[in-house]
Amino acid sequence: MSEPAVAVGPARARPGDPAPPARTPRRRRVPLRTRLRRDWQLLAMVAPGFLVLLIFSYLPIAGNVIAFQDYNPYLGDNPWSAFTHSNWIGFGQFQLLFDDPAFWDAFRNTLAITAFQLVFFFPLPILLAVMLHNLLSSRLRGFVQTIVYLPHFFSWVLVISFFVAMLGGAGLLAQTMRDAGMQPWNVMTNPDTFIVLVTAEAVWKDVGWGTIVFLAALSTIDQNLYEAAAADGAGRWRRLWHITLPGLRPVIILLLILRLGDALSVGFEQFLLQRDAVGRQAAEVLDTFVYHFSIATGNYGYGAAAGLFKAVIGLVLILAANRVAHLLGERGIYSKS
């Protein structure tokens, strides 16, 4: 004889049983048309910047395909016709590039200048931002900020002209040393000290501008932390080490990753203007190499190969630095979570 069926209902919670996990309510997906209607003002505001980025940054990426061609712009009446009539040579341009000693000289100079500026230039905006943040007088802080921001808006022609007027062979320093009976220093035309010269020029021009991001990060640190630390007897250096620097650490890591991604782009105009004064061996970097050995000679496929190589190295550096940031517990540029 079969047993009667027993209705099984929801189990009652007993005292001491663990509480069931709370279910996260699923967010209802807003239709695209609704989001466009809701956010059209913001989309209209960012549209000009997006178009500039699309036209001048993303669309030119398609031109990298000529790095695999023996591209000749005179084979057709327009760039598309020249592209379709140019011969495909695969990695031939890269083979020529890697066999060129001038390319490796420019590559070594670029890496050396980047490493030198990471050590002697990158920390200076952080230090200046901390000093400006500690100024009690807001009027004095605004005056100093205006003074240190101003050189950023000068062109490299003006910056180098200023250094020539101060440190050149007929400049103020040389004339002063001659009047004192001393031999003037060879500053602007010495290839051995060129790396120090270009770093000093970059510091004078952009160190103030680089403090903007760090000052914004400093303004987000809770001031109660400083007051509590001071009440506990922490001095200025301990507050700097345990409050200020940890508050700046995410921004420092983010900008350091971005700087590493741009490591092979140390500048063009600054080095082009001083290349003849100190020689190619000291002042040739990848950007000027592409100009002199590709654009000036009409060998566009060769220059595209050099530019594509530089972009790939920059991408690898960004991914590696971002991975290291994740291992150190920082968010970096992006994260999967």
Side-chain angles (χ1 to χ4, degrees), residues 124-130 132 145 148-149 206-216:
L124 293 182
I126 305 173
L127 178 62
L128 181 59
V130 172
L132 291 175
Q145 285 178 327
V148 297
Y149 289 172
D206 289 326
V207 69
W209 188 257
T211 61
I212 294 177
V213 177
F214 297 109
L215 286 172

Side-chain angles (χ1 to χ4, degrees), residues 168-186:
L172 179 62
L173 177 63
Q175 293 292 343
T176 303
M177 295 182 69
R178 289 192 187 96
D179 294 340
M182 303 170 60
Q183 182 68 24
W185 295 337
N186 183 16

Side-chain angles (χ1 to χ4, degrees), residues 185-208:
W185 295 337
N186 183 16
V187 178
M188 300 300 297
T189 59
N190 187 359
D192 296 330
T193 59
F194 180 70
I195 189 172
V196 180
L197 174 65
V198 294
T199 303
E201 293 169 350
V203 167
W204 185 78
K205 186 177 188 295
D206 289 326
V207 69

